[in-house]
């Protein structure tokens, strides 16, 4: 029946805040966790985009020209590459991220004690599988006439892709790529499974020390939300720039 | 074949789809000599596009041979990219590169493939643009041009590679009627300048005026060929007669 007065409520909030963030410089844990999250996301995204473009090129060039290639080393190589790409995509998209991370950390790179680098590789490989499908859909969205115009001028397959198809595809898939980046950022929150103190783990650690879950977990959520919002804005600006470029 | 005026020599060319069920090309044999302006006519589905697109191997023939400058381009060891540089193509739907300015549309291939410097390539591009009365549009983007302007750019983009032959696949079919003339005028100029041209078109006026030879195709075959006079004034084949009755 007893109601806390507003003043009491505020002073409770204040002491909670001091306990969770100020005391023993606990905010530093959050900051370094945020740093790890950003580093993992950034480098995993770069790795993912590189892998994704390579995979998409392998898959779409296989589909497009395997019939017209002359038998020989090139054709064999493309077939093998396409086979590997398909296995890669199937495994990565068919298993949970956390399991992939655990396998990377405890089996494949068991001898490494640099969790962040293992995480970058694991998240990058995972993201690459999704980026590959995005890039592939982008390539397919470009009218075949563009491809033919490039080939008719004398460009080979790769040159046509690099100079003509991919720049246009990139514009079309930018929203999907941005979305994948946001998914990746949020997905890195499972990095704590392999002893990395990322943003999420940092919040959880503070909760474990202070036994006060409200502040640290909400702070973590808020930081993710702010990051995603800022990034979305930046992408919107970039999209508008790219569109204006064509007019 | 030993005639060194022959630029493209086509021998018993076949293109089958669905395991032979559809015969888009059913044994086409002809020679295209330097400086010729060959116009290909025929009903829809007769194989005109397939024939034209086989000449630069955008379609790979099922069988038969195509010699370009004496080189068999259907041979698997031929570097088709090298040969395509000498065979310009103009498409019905222009296929300009929308992400590049007009100037960059025209300089991309000369710079990347012929190793021209930016200055060289732009100088040539600007000359060509002036020839088609678009000298002031180099910095525009394709989306800012009308259909007729786009097609004129597509023609000079192909010319920027200094090709030995230009292939046209219905270059005016996607245009509003009032823009057909400006594109045909450019093509006529080209023909007069001695450019070797192979054109699929429904513009019979163009065929009569500038063609050195008209080929009539039906069912994947060359049914009749001859000078415009022979084809339009003295057609012998019944299918050609009924085709002409419809289009003239
Ligand atoms: N990719 C394809 N698959 C199956 N049939 C095709 C394909 N391309 C063309 N054809 C068929 O080949 C024939 C010739 O087509 P095309 O050369 O485009 O004719 P045209 O240009 O004279 O109208 C048509 O019957 C067409 O349906
Ligand atoms: Mg056609």
């Amino acid at each position: 029946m007893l109601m806390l007065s507003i003043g009491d409520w505020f002073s409770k909030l204040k002491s909670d805040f001091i306990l969770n963030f100020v005391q023993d410089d606990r905010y530093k844990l959050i900051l370094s966790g945020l740093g790890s999250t950003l580093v993992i996301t950034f480098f995993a995204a770069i790795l993912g985009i590189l892998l994704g473009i390579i995979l998409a090129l392998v898959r779409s060039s296989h589909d497009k020209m395997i019939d017209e290639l002359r038998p020989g080393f090139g054709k064999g190589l493309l077939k093998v590459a396409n086979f590997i790409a398909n296995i890669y995509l199937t495994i990565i998209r068919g298993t949970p991220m956390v399991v992939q991370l655990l396998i990377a950390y405890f089996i494949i790179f068991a001898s490494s004690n640099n969790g962040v680098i293992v995480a970058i590789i694991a998240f990058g490989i995972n993201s690459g599988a999704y980026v590959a499908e995005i890039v592939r859909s982008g390539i397919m969205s470009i009218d075949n006439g563009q491809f033919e115009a490039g080939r008719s001028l004398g460009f080979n397959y790769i040159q046509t892709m690099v100079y003509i198809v991919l720049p246009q595809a990139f514009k079309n898939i930018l929203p999907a790529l941005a979305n994948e980046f946001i998914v990746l950022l949020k997905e890195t929150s499972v990095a704590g499974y392999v002893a990395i103190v990322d943003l999420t783990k940092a919040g959880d650690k503070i909760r474990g020390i202070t036994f006060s879950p409200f502040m640290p977990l909400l702070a973590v959520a808020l930081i993710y939300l702010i990051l995603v919002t800022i990034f979305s804005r930046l992408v919107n600006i970039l999209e508008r720039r790219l569109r204006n470029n064509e007019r | 074949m030993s005639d060194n005026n022959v630029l493209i020599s086509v021998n018993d060319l076949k293109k089958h789809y669905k395991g032979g069920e559809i015969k888009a090309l059913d044994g086409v044999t002809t020679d295209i000599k330097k400086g010729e302006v060959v116009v290909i006519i025929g009903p829809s589905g007769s194989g005109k596009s397939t024939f034209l697109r086989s000449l630069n191997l955008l379609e790979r023939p099922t069988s038969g041979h195509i010699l370009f400058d004496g080189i068999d381009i259907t041979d698997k060891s031929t570097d088709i990219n090298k040969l395509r540089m000498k065979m310009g193509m103009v498409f019905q739907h222009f296929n300009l590169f929308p992400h590049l300015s007009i100037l960059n549309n025209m300089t991309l291939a000369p710079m990347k493939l012929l190793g021209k410097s930016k200055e060289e390539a732009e100088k040539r591009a600007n000359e060509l643009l002036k020839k088609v009365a678009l000298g002031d549009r180099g910095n525009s983007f394709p989306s800012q041009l009308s259909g007729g302007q786009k097609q004129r750019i597509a023609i000079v983009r192909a010319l920027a590679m200094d090709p030995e032959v230009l292939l046209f696949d219905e270059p005016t079919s996607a245009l509003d009627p009032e823009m057909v003339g400006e594109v045909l005028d450019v093509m006529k100029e080209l023909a007069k300048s001695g450019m070797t041209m192979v054109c699929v078109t429904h513009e019979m006026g163009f065929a009569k005026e500038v063609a050195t030879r008209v080929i009539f195709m039906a069912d994947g075959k060359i049914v009749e060929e001859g000078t415009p006079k022979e084809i339009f004034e003295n057609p012998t084949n019944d299918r050609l007669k009924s085709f002409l009755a419809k289009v003239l």
Side-chain angles (χ1 to χ4, degrees), chain B residues 53-237:
Chain B
R53 292 159 52 81
S54 298
L55 296 180
N56 67 352
L57 238 54
L58 280 186
E59 304 286 352
R60 199 165 258 288
T62 310
S63 70
H65 293 276
I66 301 166
L67 303 190
F68 177 73
D69 275 341
I71 301 165
D72 190 347
I73 67 169
T74 55
D75 191 297
K76 300 246 178 193
S77 65
T78 302
D79 181 357
I80 186 61
N81 298 316
K82 272 250 149 51
L83 294 177
R84 280 187 183 136
M85 293 180 206
K86 302 182 196 169
M87 313 172 101
M89 187 166 226
V90 176
F91 300 86
Q92 183 176 354
H93 293 107
F94 330 128
N95 298 346
L96 296 182
F97 307 134
H99 62 301
L100 299 177
S101 69
I102 298 309
L103 217 47
N104 288 340
N105 261 275
M106 295 176 66
T107 56
L108 183 68
M111 283 166 64
K112 304 288 183 192
L113 297 173
L114 302 179
K116 285 195 181 183
S117 71
K118 191 174 161 67
E119 293 73 37
E120 260 180 299
E122 287 190 350
K123 186 165 165 276
R124 174 87 174 118
N126 278 316
E127 285 168 12
L128 287 166
L129 282 175
K130 282 202 193 89
K131 276 196 186 159
V132 294
L134 290 169
D136 54 343
R137 302 312 295 268
N139 293 318
S140 304
F141 279 81
S143 60
Q144 298 167 316
L145 302 182
S146 72
Q149 291 174 326
K150 281 183 195 163
Q151 196 60 299
R152 283 186 276 158
I153 297 297
I155 293 171
V156 286
R157 178 177 71 180
L159 283 177
M161 290 295 283
D162 290 319
E164 292 176 22
V165 57
L166 270 189
L167 313 173
F168 295 82
D169 193 359
E170 300 200 26
T172 57
S173 295
L175 296 176
D176 291 336
E178 76 269 21
M179 294 175 182
V180 169
E182 64 192 61
V183 172
L184 290 180
D185 285 346
V186 170
M187 292 170 64
K188 286 175 195 166
E189 280 297 311
L190 262 176
K192 279 181 204 144
S193 76
M195 174 58 91
T196 311
M197 295 163 64
V198 185
C199 316
V200 174
T201 182
H202 297 297
E203 296 294 332
M204 297 303 149
F206 174 80
K208 282 178 187 167
E209 192 180 334
V210 298
T212 55
R213 179 159 50 118
V214 178
I215 291 178
F216 174 68
M217 286 185 72
D219 294 336
K221 294 191 182 86
I222 295 180
V223 173
E224 190 160 344
E225 61 182 312
T227 63
K229 216 176 160 78
E230 288 164 351
I231 293 290
F232 292 112
E233 291 172 24
N234 288 309
T236 56
N237 181 279

Side-chain angles (χ1 to χ4, degrees), chain B residues 17-18 22-24 42-51 59 169-170 200:
Chain B
Y17 291 106
K18 302 192 179 154
I22 299 173
K23 295 184 166 77
S44 169
S46 56
K48 306 181 297 295
S49 295
T50 307
F51 173 70
E59 304 286 352
D169 193 359
E170 300 200 26
V200 174

Side-chain angles (χ1 to χ4, degrees), chain A residues 136-150:
Chain A
R136 204 163 85 96
S137 76
I139 291 172
M140 289 193 302
S141 76
I142 303 302
D143 182 67
N144 200 42
Q146 292 292 308
F147 190 81
E148 291 188 340

